[in-house]
């Protein structure tokens, strides 16, 4: 028997999208497989690694712990909303400059988490950055350059303000 | 790592949600933050036939604090909301201190306090906090509503006093009397991980400095929050006072009493002996801190 489909309408990176989804479809899979936005990565699928972190109504959340059907009427932002290869977002530019990534698998989730964090905390100290990063696992960098990149992005934003 | 199929309901009113739960019973689960339920579904450890999404029910979202410090936490109040609330920090500092230790920021953005409590994970901080604060849990169903004391609410691993048609709609915390001090301490391998042991302490001293109420409650020490009567007994009637050496001796005695009154299960990261050791050390430190805090909020002698 075919699973029941639920109509949803949501805003994705500023664009309204409509779809029919089965209830059990995770938001992370909806984003990747139905919307084709493969910048959102899937790691653990139980809320531990943070790779799939997106903004849900502007607030960082695990896309693997939301069902797509729950986003009806809501707004989500993925890493594709940040910059383009030609015009990186200042946060992405800081990660590039500070070598804040190696394999890059965790990076989209970290960028979305840090985007919201820096909007709330424009002048964070290192301890605050590390605490804000605690929900995102990186197995390459040892975090040092990620912390440096976030601090640099904050400094650049303050200088530009 | 994909959940099994289920039917999704998104009621717009509490009455509608409760009617759905009454109809589907154990087959249905309420979905609020989903930060514990959805991982369990992804692992297929739980397989509800129906999810009743509460997120569209505005009346469940209230966090209210009276001027006197009585706190009401509705079913959709998320951890981050409580964590950032100045009145919670002022009137319910134990909750404010412990909630920062719950998981990671992204999870606290979404996960709800009531959902955390209804999930009844024995390693979770908030059940121990609610037992220590003598919270009242307001359960509602199509049959009506009732209030359950936190100490009676938690009945085992992932098991509560809720009936199959009931929703934990609200948690109520009474204001703390003058002379009350609290502290929460835990040790986890990394920030946001499950604690190997956690201890919530509430002490109250009267105008003469004598301890009239004490609660020492562990998380992660068994299948539910564990309140140690033996540890409280060491504190009751004692005068923590301001002499550091005396306070240290009292705190260590109460910590030792806690360690001998629990039988922790041991975990993959901490043996039972190590958990007992942690309970003793964390309790002694938390008790000393709570007593020091109580001393700064002494009731005036005129009362």
């Amino acid at each position: 028997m075919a699973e029941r489909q639920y109509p949803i309408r949501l805003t994705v990176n500023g664009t309204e999208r409509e779809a029919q989804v089965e209830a059990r479809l995770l938001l992370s899979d909806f984003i990747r497989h139905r919307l084709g936005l493969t910048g959102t990565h899937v790691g653990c699928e139980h809320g531990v690694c943070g790779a799939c972190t997106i903004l849900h109504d502007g607030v960082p959340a695990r896309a693997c712990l939301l069902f797509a059907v729950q986003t009806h009427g809501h707004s989500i932002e993925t890493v594709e909303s940040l910059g383009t290869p030609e015009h990186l977002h200042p946060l992405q530019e800081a990660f590039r400059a500070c070598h804040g990534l190696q394999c890059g698998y965790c990076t989209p989730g970290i960028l979305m988490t840090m985007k919201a964090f820096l909007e709330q905390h424009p002048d964070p100290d290192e301890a605050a950055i590390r605490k804000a990063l605690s929900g995102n696992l990186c197995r390459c960098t040892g975090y040092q350059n990620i912390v440096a990149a976030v601090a640099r992005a904050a400094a650049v934003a303050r200088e530009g303000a | 790592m994909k959940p099994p199929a289920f039917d999704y309901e998104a009621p717009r009113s509490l009455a509608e949600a409760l009617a759905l739960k009454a109809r589907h019973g154990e087959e249905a689960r309420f979905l609020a933050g989903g930060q514990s339920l959805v991982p369990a579904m992804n692992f297929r450890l739980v397989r509800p036939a129906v999810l009743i999404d509460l997120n569209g029910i505005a009346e469940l979202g209230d966090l209210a604090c009276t001027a006197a410090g009585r706190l009401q936490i509705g079913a959709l109040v998320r951890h981050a909301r409580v964590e950032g609330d100045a009145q919670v920090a002022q009137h319910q500092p134990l909750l404010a201190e412990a909630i920062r230790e719950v998981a990671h920021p992204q999870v606290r953005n979404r996960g709800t306090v009531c959902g955390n409590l209804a999930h009844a994970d024995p390693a979770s901080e908030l059940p121990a906090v609610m037992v220590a604060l003598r919270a009242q849990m307001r359960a509602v169903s199509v049959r009506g509503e009732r209030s359950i004391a936190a100490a009676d609410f938690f009945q085992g691993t992932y098991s509560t006093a809720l009936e199959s048609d009931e929703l934990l709609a609200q948690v109520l915390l009474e204001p703390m009397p003058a002379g009350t001090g609290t502290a929460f301490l835990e040790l986890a391998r990394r920030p946001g991980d499950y604690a190997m042991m956690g201890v919530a302490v509430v002490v109250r001293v009267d105008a003469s400095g004598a301890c009239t109420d004490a609660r020492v409650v562990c998380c992660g020490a068994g299948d539910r929050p564990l309140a140690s009567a033996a540890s409280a007994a060491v504190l009751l009637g004692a005068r923590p006072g301001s002499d550091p050496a005396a306070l240290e001796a009292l705190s260590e005695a109460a910590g030792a009493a806690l360690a001998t009154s629990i039988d922790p299960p041991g975990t993959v990261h901490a043996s039972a002996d190590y958990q007992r050791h942690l309970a003793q050390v964390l309790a002694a430190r938390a008790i000393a801190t709570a007593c020091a805090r109580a001393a700064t909020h002494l009731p005036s002698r005129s009362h």
Side-chain angles (χ1 to χ4, degrees):
Chain A
M1 193 179 72
E3 274 183 60
R4 185 176 156 191
Q5 300 288 308
Y6 298 77
I8 59 170
R9 180 188 301 163
L10 70 158
T11 304
V12 181
N13 298 336
T15 303
E16 192 154 293
R17 305 290 294 257
E18 289 185 35
Q20 298 276 333
V21 296
E22 59 270 34
R24 62 165 154 170
L25 182 65
L26 295 172
L27 178 60
S28 45
D29 290 333
F30 174 73
I31 289 169
R32 289 178 56 83
H33 303 310
R34 300 286 291 277
L35 300 180
L37 297 173
T38 53
T40 297
H41 292 169
V42 171
C44 71
E45 294 193 303
H46 64 286
V48 171
C49 78
C52 69
T53 302
I54 50 98
L55 301 185
H56 179 273
D57 292 338
V59 176
R62 313 288 206 210
C64 74
L65 299 187
L66 283 162
F67 296 110
V69 66
Q70 291 181 270
T71 61
H72 176 63
H74 293 273
S75 155
I76 63 168
E77 292 163 64
T78 68
V79 71
E80 286 86 353
S81 71
L82 293 183
T84 64
E86 295 75 30
H87 299 284
L88 294 177
H89 184 279
L91 192 53
Q92 293 170 311
E93 180 58 38
F95 270 68
R96 190 199 62 76
C98 295
H99 204 71
L101 65 155
Q102 289 180 29
C103 85
Y105 202 85
C106 67
T107 311
I110 290 180
L111 290 172
M112 299 315 285
T113 304
M114 290 300 104
K115 177 176 188 271
F117 170 70
L118 289 179
E119 283 166 5
Q120 299 282 318
H121 305 87
D123 189 13
D125 62 18
E126 184 187 328
I129 294 171
R130 287 187 181 275
K131 199 167 181 188
L133 280 169
S134 69
N136 293 82
L137 294 181
C138 172
R139 301 290 79 161
C140 299
T141 63
Y143 300 97
Q144 298 296 108
N145 290 348
I146 296 176
V147 174
V150 175
R152 179 187 173 105
V156 167
R158 288 197 307 278
E159 284 162 17
Chain B
M1 296 296 291
K2 309 295 177 192
F6 59 89
D7 285 330
Y8 174 78
E9 301 281 0
R12 305 301 294 186
S13 73
L14 179 58
E16 199 184 332
L18 296 178
L20 283 164
K21 191 73 168 90
R23 188 185 318 151
H24 295 290
E26 300 283 0
E27 293 285 292
R29 296 286 293 265
F30 289 118
L31 174 63
Q35 302 298 289
S36 297
L37 177 61
V38 180
M41 289 175 67
N42 286 354
F43 278 119
R44 303 201 172 198
L45 296 171
V46 295
R47 312 170 70 101
V50 180
L51 279 194
I52 304 167
D53 187 349
L54 302 175
N55 286 282
I57 305 174
E59 63 195 289
L60 293 175
D62 286 350
L63 175 72
C65 191
T66 66
R70 185 172 198 261
L71 186 68
Q72 301 179 347
I73 305 171
L76 285 177
V77 173
R78 306 186 195 276
H79 291 79
R81 172 89 172 82
V82 173
E83 187 182 356
D85 189 272
Q87 286 189 303
V88 172
Q90 182 187 346
H91 295 293
Q92 298 293 345
L94 181 65
L95 177 58
E97 192 171 21
I99 207 160
R100 295 194 292 264
E101 308 288 349
V102 177
H104 300 288
Q106 298 96 327
V107 173
R108 295 198 296 276
N109 285 340
R110 191 78 201 155
T112 64
V113 171
C114 286
N116 180 319
L117 299 171
H119 184 59
D121 188 322
S124 175
E125 294 85 355
L126 298 191
V129 166
M130 295 306 166
V131 169
L133 293 175
R134 296 196 178 119
Q136 289 290 321
M137 326 293 269
R138 188 171 149 253
V140 300
S141 70
V142 290
R143 296 174 288 120
E145 68 171 78
R146 64 185 176 124
S147 185
I148 307 167
D152 302 324
F153 183 81
F154 302 101
Q155 299 201 336
T157 303
Y158 309 136
S159 174
T160 70
L162 290 173
E163 300 289 343
S164 68
D165 61 349
E166 285 182 316
L167 167 71
L168 176 58
Q170 200 175 48
V171 177
L172 298 166
L173 292 170
E174 292 302 326
M176 298 196 308
T180 304
T182 66
F184 183 87
L185 280 179
E186 70 170 40
L187 191 71
R189 294 176 76 236
R190 289 176 296 263
D193 279 9
Y194 281 111
M196 293 182 282
M197 179 59 62
V199 183
V201 175
V202 178
V203 295
R204 182 179 170 195
V205 295
D206 64 17
S208 75
C211 179
T212 57
D213 194 5
R215 278 155 269 158
V216 181
V217 187
C218 292
C219 57
D223 71 349
R224 68 194 78 182
L226 199 147
S228 172
S231 186
V234 172
L235 297 169
L236 284 170
R239 293 176 185 278
S242 54
D243 173 29
L247 178 56
E248 187 180 335
L250 177 67
S251 302
E252 288 187 357
L258 170 67
T260 56
S261 66
I262 62 173
D263 188 17
T267 74
V268 66
H269 295 308
S271 67
D273 283 347
Y274 184 52
Q275 280 193 300
R276 190 178 289 108
H277 169 75
L278 285 178
Q280 176 165 352
V281 174
L282 294 171
R285 291 179 188 170
I287 289 164
T289 300
C291 288
R293 290 172 176 170
T296 66
H297 298 111
L298 278 185
S300 72
R301 284 173 184 272
S302 61
H303 286 281

